[in-house]
Structures are given as C-alpha cells and as structure tokens.
C-alpha cells in the first residue's frame, strides 16, 4: 500500500535522525526535563523534577534552590503523559521518549488517511497525508526534543475520525485525552466545537465542546495549577502575555479580560510583526498547496491556536519548526479534507454521497507535489534543532560546522567521562549533557551547584560535567553560548580555587569534577591548558 510506504519512510528517517541527534549529544534541556519527569514517575514521584524546579519562579525570581519534590504540574498541566509511563517503565531511557514522539506523529498520519478517505478518493487522501509528513510544522518539531504537544495531532485526528463515524464514546475519550495534553490544549479543542456550531452539523455537541474546553482551561490554570506552584501566574502568563498584564502576576482570566477591554492593543499584537506573521502562515499553508486559505473549516478550527500564538510575546512562537506549530496542523488538514470534498458551511449537512468532490487536475497535482517538496526543502535548510548539524553548517562566515565523525569521537569521550558518575549521584551539567544524566533524583543545569533534597537540606551536587568545547565552537554564532562559556568557566575556577571540587577527567573541552576530592594531575593539567586556549574568548 503506497500510504504505508510513506509512513514507514517518515518513521525510519525521523527516528534515525532524532536518535542520532540524541546519542551524539544534541538533545538538550527539555529532553532532560521530560525524561526526569518520566523517571521520577517510575519511582512513584509523579511529575517531580529538579530541572523544572530550576525554571520555577521560586528559583528564578526569589533566588531559592531547586527542590527535588517540585511538581512540574505548576508549570504545565500534562496528565496525558501518564498514558505512556508503562512503556517508559519497560524501557527507562531518554531515547525512549524520542521513539515515542516519532510513533505519535507517524500514527497521526496513519489516522489522517482513513479520515480523508471518508470523503475523498485514494489519490487526494494520499496527497493530504503525504503533505502532513512533509509539513515543516510537523517535521521540524518531530526532529527536536520530546514535547507534550506531539500527542495533539494523533488525538485530534482520532477525535475527528470518531466524530465522522458518530462514535461518540470514542469522541469523548479523545476529547479528554486532548485536554490532558497540556493546560492550553483546550484552545485547539475549542476550535472543533466552533466548527460543529458554525457548520450546523452537531451544534449541541459543539456547544458542549466549546463550553467544556473553555471551562477546563480556566479551571486548570486558575484553580488546579496554583495548588502546585505560582509559576502560571508569576512567570508563564507574564512571559507569554505580559503586555496585557498589570503588575507582577496575572491569571488567565485577567489576561483574557484585559485583551477584550483593549481591542487596539489586541489588533496590534495580532498583526505584528506583519512579515513574520505572514511568513508563518505561508509556512503552515505551503504543504497543502495553500488550500487552507479558502477552506472555511480550516479557519474555524485552526484560528484559535493561531490566535494564541499571534497574541503571544516574542519571535519564538512564530518559528514554524518548534513545538507550538504542530498544534495548528489538525485544523488545517481537516479543513482541507472538507474543501476537497466540496463541503462548506452551507451544505455540510448533506449526505457524503450527495456532495460533489472537487477534482484533482494534473496541473494542480504537480503544483501540490512541488509545494510538498518546497516545504521539505525549507525544513532541511532551516536545520531544526540542529538535528542536521552534520549536513548543514550553522554559519558560513565564519564557517561553523561539525562533521558526524568528529562529533561521534567527541560523543565517545563524553560517554567515557559519564561512566565515572555513579547512577545515584547528584549532578550538575550543561544543556546537551543533561538528557544523558537526567535518569536520577537530583540533577540541575550549570552554573547551578546546590539542590534541596528530600530531607529538606541544601547541599552541593556530587559531580559537575560541562561540555565547554561545544560552547567554544558555537559562541561565534550564538551569543548565549559565549555568555555560558564565560560564566561556567568562572564557576569551575572558583570551586577549584576553594578546593570544593577536583578535576577527575578532561577530554576535548569536556571537563568532569567531583566534590571533595583532589584533582587528577593529568586532568588538571589538561584543564589548565584548555583554559589558556579559550582565555581570549573569556576575556573578550
């Protein structure tokens, strides 16, 4: 079956690239957070994470020490992750999450195809599914760290398929699963309710979906998440929607009310930056040959997750290759199915056999295939999450490029150093190493050194491991790498001077320190030589 071939190809290619990314030390902090959450879950400490605690308002704004008992549910309410905990229990490794993510997205395409076949002939249904596998908004996020939103297309397509089959108990299950993905995934589900109302297909069910999803978002963000921490009101709402806030904290309800009462500011945020917004929309429409532009159902469902992104602060939300983009895709693809089926809001109640599907002309088919190829080209050349670092240079002038053999050699050296760290030891590491040491109770990111343990006592971590070589290489391209290089180097020098830690291993810019031991003579000499080498960068 051709469709199965496309799904298998997508699965093999994305899984190979993402596993290579992980095992060559390019997966980063978020992968570590989710892995620690899953690992703690297998130990009975559900949704706890010191890595998440390090990002909490208590640590960032109040200067507290990361705590092992911190519940991540105060930052993001993600109970759907519990569905996959039994699988992680059998395969308790960070790479398991990478495999799961690829399975989620591949399976979403396999559900999309029968959804399209309800209305369309195999040729168009296949092209729609291939468009999904070739969409920048799908491939880009799949090639990155594990993220909870990767579940959205699978749950949403399954929900829509259940709706088309009028299997309402299954529809209800997938609606609940969608809500459980994240505290804001009800926004995507809200669009389905609006579509059901406007199309007059199932207005009562649509009203229930709208009301249920809206109340869920408000209830979880205002009543449930504050039980775990103050992060939703004191950090995340301010970081994303701070332009609508008054003071140093704001609830979702306050943000919504301020949006409604400030329509001028709302319109400005909606259309600025104009070119960035337009580029984002074109990227979402491209793999479907721009059909969503004229598909009413696509607008009805996708407009709400789009509004969430367009009304947020910062340019990151308008990057089509990061995780937020994938939550928009279900509405666009389902709306395109209905457009090809000849279904509009005026005739959607007619039987499927009475509809007049649009014909796929050879010229448009060629244009559509060109659009899919162009979408894949833009995906590859954007090097999402540096997954294609061995193919695409991060900079041409100056040339910043790391070949696969070179990184494989560096990776083996890092694994050799990691083998010296006991499985139950507390660790502070740099971002690219964190996923590989996150299967433990106590782990934080450098330059952090202290953790509050289960006994409520604050202590320094047992080991420090830093990949300064990667920072040295990339600091000419990314300013934050240069800053991190300076700060972490200063911290290492300080703890060595204070005799709090000793260097027990060094290789190719990767340094390993252990608490309360004397430095290994060979390792400390190699460290001092490296410090001399990077001194011009640190002093600049």
């Amino acid at each position: 079956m051709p469709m199965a071939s496309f799904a298998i190809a997508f699965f093999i290619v994305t899984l190979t690239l993402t596993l290579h990314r992980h095992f060559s030390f390019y997966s980063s902090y978020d992968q570590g957070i989710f892995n620690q959450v899953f690992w703690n879950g297998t130990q009975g400490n559900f949704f706890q994470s010191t890595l998440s605690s390090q990002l909490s308002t208590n640590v960032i704004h109040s200067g507290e020490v990361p705590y092992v008992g911190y519940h991540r549910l105060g930052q993001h309410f993600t109970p759907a992750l519990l569905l996959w905990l039994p699988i992680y229990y059998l395969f308790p490794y960070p790479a398991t999450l990478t495999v799961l993510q690829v399975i989620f997205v591949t399976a979403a395409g396999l559900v999309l195809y029968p959804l399209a076949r309800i209305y369309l002939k195999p040729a168009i249904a296949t092209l729609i599914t291939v468009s999904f596998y070739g969409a920048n908004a799908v491939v880009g996020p799949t090639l990155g760290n594990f993220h909870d939103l990767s579940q959205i297309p699978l749950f949403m397509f399954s929900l829509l398929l259940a709706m088309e089959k009028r299997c309402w108990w299954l529809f209800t299950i997938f609606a609940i699963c969608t809500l459980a993905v994240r505290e804001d995934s009800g926004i995507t589900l809200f669009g389905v309710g609006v579509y059901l109302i406007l199309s007059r297909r199932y207005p009562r069910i649509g009203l229930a979906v709208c009301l249920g999803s809206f109340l869920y978002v408000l209830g979880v963000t205002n009543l449930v998440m504050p039980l775990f921490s103050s992060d939703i009101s004191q950090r995340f709402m301010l970081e994303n929607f701070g332009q609508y806030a008054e003071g140093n904290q704001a609830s979702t309800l306050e943000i919504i009310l301020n949006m409604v009462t400030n329509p001028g500011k709302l319109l400005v945020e909606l259309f600025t930056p104009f070119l960035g917004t337009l580029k984002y929309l074109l990227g979402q429409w491209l793999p479907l040959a721009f059909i969503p532009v004229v598909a009413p159902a696509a607008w009805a469902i996708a407009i709400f997750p789009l509004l969430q992104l367009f009304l947020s602060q910062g340019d990151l939300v308008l990057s089509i290759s990061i995780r937020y983009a994938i939550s928009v895709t279900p509405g666009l693809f389902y709306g395109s199915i209905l457009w090809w089926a000849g279904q509009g809001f005026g005739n959607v109640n007619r039987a499927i056999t009475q509809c007049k599907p649009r014909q796929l002309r050879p010229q448009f088919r060629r244009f559509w295939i060109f659009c899919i190829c162009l979408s894949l080209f833009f995906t590859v050349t954007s090097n999402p999450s540096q997954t294609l670092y061995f193919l695409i240079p991060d900079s041409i002038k100056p040339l910043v490029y790391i070949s696969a053999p070179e990184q494989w050699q560096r990776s083996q050296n890092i694994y050799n150093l990691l083998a010296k760290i006991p499985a139950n030891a507390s660790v502070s590491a740099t971002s690219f190493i964190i996923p590989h040491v996150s299967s433990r109770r106590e782990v934080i990111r450098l330059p952090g050194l202290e953790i509050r343990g289960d006994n409520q006592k604050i202590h320094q971590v047992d080991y420090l491991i830093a990949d300064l070589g990667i920072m040295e290489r990339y600091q000419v391209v990314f300013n934050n790498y240069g800053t991190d290089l300076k700060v972490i180097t200063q911290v290492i020098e300080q703890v060595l001077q204070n005799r709090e830690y000793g260097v027990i291993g060094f290789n190719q810019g990767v340094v390993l320190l252990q608490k309360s031991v004397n430095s290994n003579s060979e390792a400390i000499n190699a460290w001092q030589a490296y410090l001399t080498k990077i001194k011009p960068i640190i002093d600049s």
Side-chain angles (χ1 to χ4, degrees):
M1 181 180 176
M3 192 57 256
S5 301
F6 287 118
I8 292 171
F10 177 86
F11 178 83
I12 292 175
V13 172
T14 54
L15 184 61
T16 301
L17 289 173
T18 50
L19 287 178
H20 178 266
R21 174 180 183 266
H22 173 70
F23 288 114
S24 61
F25 289 88
Y26 271 82
S27 59
S28 55
Y29 198 76
D30 282 355
Q31 184 89 7
I33 288 177
F34 281 106
N35 183 67
Q36 192 186 29
V37 166
F38 272 93
W39 185 87
N40 269 322
T42 64
Q43 311 301 309
N45 302 309
F46 299 103
F47 297 103
Q48 293 182 5
S49 170
T50 50
L51 293 170
S52 288
S53 178
Q54 201 169 12
L55 298 177
S56 67
T57 186
N58 290 347
V59 173
I60 293 177
H61 298 136
S62 302
E64 296 183 11
V65 172
Y67 173 46
V68 295
Y70 175 85
H71 286 86
R72 187 176 180 270
L73 295 175
Q75 294 179 3
H76 293 296
F77 194 74
T78 56
L81 296 179
L82 293 174
L83 294 172
W84 321 113
L85 190 59
I87 297 176
Y88 184 88
Y89 184 83
L90 295 175
F91 307 98
Y93 313 105
T96 300
L97 303 186
T98 297
V99 177
L100 281 175
Q101 179 157 285
V102 174
I103 291 174
F104 294 158
V105 181
T106 305
L110 292 175
V111 176
L112 175 62
Y113 180 75
L115 177 62
R117 282 290 289 121
I118 292 176
Y119 291 99
L120 306 173
K121 293 181 179 180
I124 301 179
T126 298
L127 272 175
I128 286 177
T129 310
V130 173
S131 299
F132 178 77
Y133 287 139
N136 198 339
V138 173
V139 180
T142 304
L143 292 179
N145 295 322
F146 178 85
H147 57 93
D148 38 30
L149 293 176
S150 60
Q151 304 165 95
I152 286 287
L154 176 59
F155 290 158
M156 284 289 291
F157 289 147
S158 300
L159 175 143
L160 293 167
L161 182 60
M163 180 192 75
E164 294 291 353
K165 299 291 186 179
R166 300 187 182 184
C167 185
W168 298 114
W169 67 269
L170 198 56
F171 177 91
T172 303
I173 288 176
F174 284 113
I176 294 172
C177 288
T178 301
L179 292 174
V181 168
R182 250 173 63 137
E183 70 281 355
D184 55 356
S185 55
I187 296 173
T188 302
L189 188 62
F190 186 87
V192 175
V194 170
Y195 160 72
L196 293 177
I197 294 171
L198 294 179
S199 65
R200 302 192 299 278
R201 291 187 70 176
Y202 307 107
R204 292 183 179 178
I205 294 175
L207 183 61
V209 169
C210 286
L211 186 61
S213 56
F214 180 72
L215 291 177
Y216 179 84
V217 172
L218 287 184
V220 166
T221 55
N222 289 278
L223 299 177
V224 180
M225 294 176 68
L227 296 176
F228 299 98
S229 72
S230 302
D231 288 294
I232 186 67
S233 60
Q234 294 184 9
R235 185 185 161 216
F236 288 94
M237 293 308 297
L238 295 181
E239 290 180 358
N240 295 326
F241 303 102
Q243 68 272 42
Y244 309 105
E246 298 175 358
N248 56 4
Q249 65 178 23
S251 67
T252 51
L253 186 58
E254 290 171 336
I255 294 295
I256 292 172
L257 290 175
N258 288 337
M259 285 181 177
V260 174
T261 55
N262 292 276
K265 181 181 292 187
L266 194 72
L267 289 173
V268 170
E269 290 291 334
L270 185 60
F271 294 105
T272 55
F274 178 76
L275 291 180
T277 301
L278 180 61
K279 179 183 176 182
Y280 182 85
L281 287 172
L282 292 174
Q284 288 279 10
W285 296 332
L286 177 62
L288 287 164
F290 303 99
I291 292 302
V293 180
V294 293
W299 284 106
I301 299 175
I303 189 63
F304 296 98
L306 281 172
L307 284 174
Q308 181 189 10
L309 296 177
F310 293 163
L311 296 177
S312 298
Q313 295 185 114
D315 296 330
L316 191 61
V317 293
L318 294 181
S319 174
I320 200 166
S321 61
I322 64 171
R323 60 188 180 275
Y324 307 113
I326 204 169
S327 63
V328 180
T329 57
L332 298 181
F333 280 84
Y334 181 65
S336 297
I337 291 172
L338 295 183
W339 185 88
W340 279 106
Q343 292 274 23
F345 284 171
N347 63 351
V348 76
N349 286 319
R350 294 163 58 187
I352 295 174
T353 55
Q354 295 177 328
C355 296
K356 188 177 180 181
R358 291 179 168 87
Q359 298 300 310
L360 178 61
R361 300 182 184 277
Q363 299 92 332
F364 192 85
R365 181 178 180 274
R366 288 193 291 270
F367 173 70
W368 195 347
I369 293 174
F370 170 76
C371 288
I372 297 172
C373 293
L374 192 60
S375 177
L376 285 171
F377 172 78
F378 288 143
T379 303
V380 170
T381 54
S382 68
N383 189 13
S385 302
Q386 293 182 284
T387 301
L388 304 175
Y389 69 89
F390 57 94
L391 294 176
I392 310 295
D394 286 278
S395 172
I396 302 298
K397 290 185 178 181
L399 180 63
V400 178
Y401 169 73
I402 299 179
S403 67
E406 178 185 355
Q407 187 60 18
W408 295 340
Q409 182 184 21
R410 294 191 75 253
S411 298
Q412 186 56 55
N413 293 333
I414 298 174
Y415 283 123
N416 291 339
L417 292 176
L418 289 176
K420 299 180 180 182
I421 304 176
N424 60 348
S426 56
V427 181
S428 184
T430 47
S431 289
F432 288 151
I433 296 180
I434 277 178
H436 301 266
V437 295
S438 57
S439 296
R440 65 189 70 231
R441 185 72 170 147
E442 299 181 344
V443 56
I444 54 175
R445 178 166 56 181
L446 281 167
L449 298 177
E450 294 182 325
I451 290 179
R452 182 155 57 96
D454 286 307
N455 60 5
Q456 302 299 319
K457 294 181 179 179
I458 296 175
H459 63 89
Q460 286 187 325
V461 296
D462 300 321
Y463 290 85
L464 312 179
I465 182 166
D467 186 356
L468 302 178
I470 203 73
M471 298 179 190
E472 176 196 358
R473 182 72 67 93
Y474 284 124
Q475 53 88 24
V476 296
V477 183
F478 308 109
N479 291 332
N480 61 305
Y481 280 72
T483 303
D484 290 344
L485 180 63
K486 295 176 184 179
V487 171
I488 294 173
T489 301
Q490 291 170 359
V491 168
I492 292 174
E493 278 296 279
Q494 186 64 51
V495 297
L496 288 175
Q497 189 176 28
N498 295 342
R499 299 185 181 275
E500 298 171 288
Y501 291 82
V503 178
I504 63 171
F506 182 88
N507 201 324
Q508 287 188 300
V510 184
V511 59
L512 174 64
L513 296 88
Q514 184 178 354
K515 186 172 67 174
S516 303
V517 301
N518 294 322
S519 294
N520 174 281
S521 58
E522 183 179 346
I524 191 66
N525 289 336
W527 163 251
Q528 293 295 344
Y530 179 75
L531 199 61
T532 301
K533 174 188 172 185
I534 63 173
K535 191 175 187 302
I537 299 174
I538 297 173
D539 293 341
S540 63

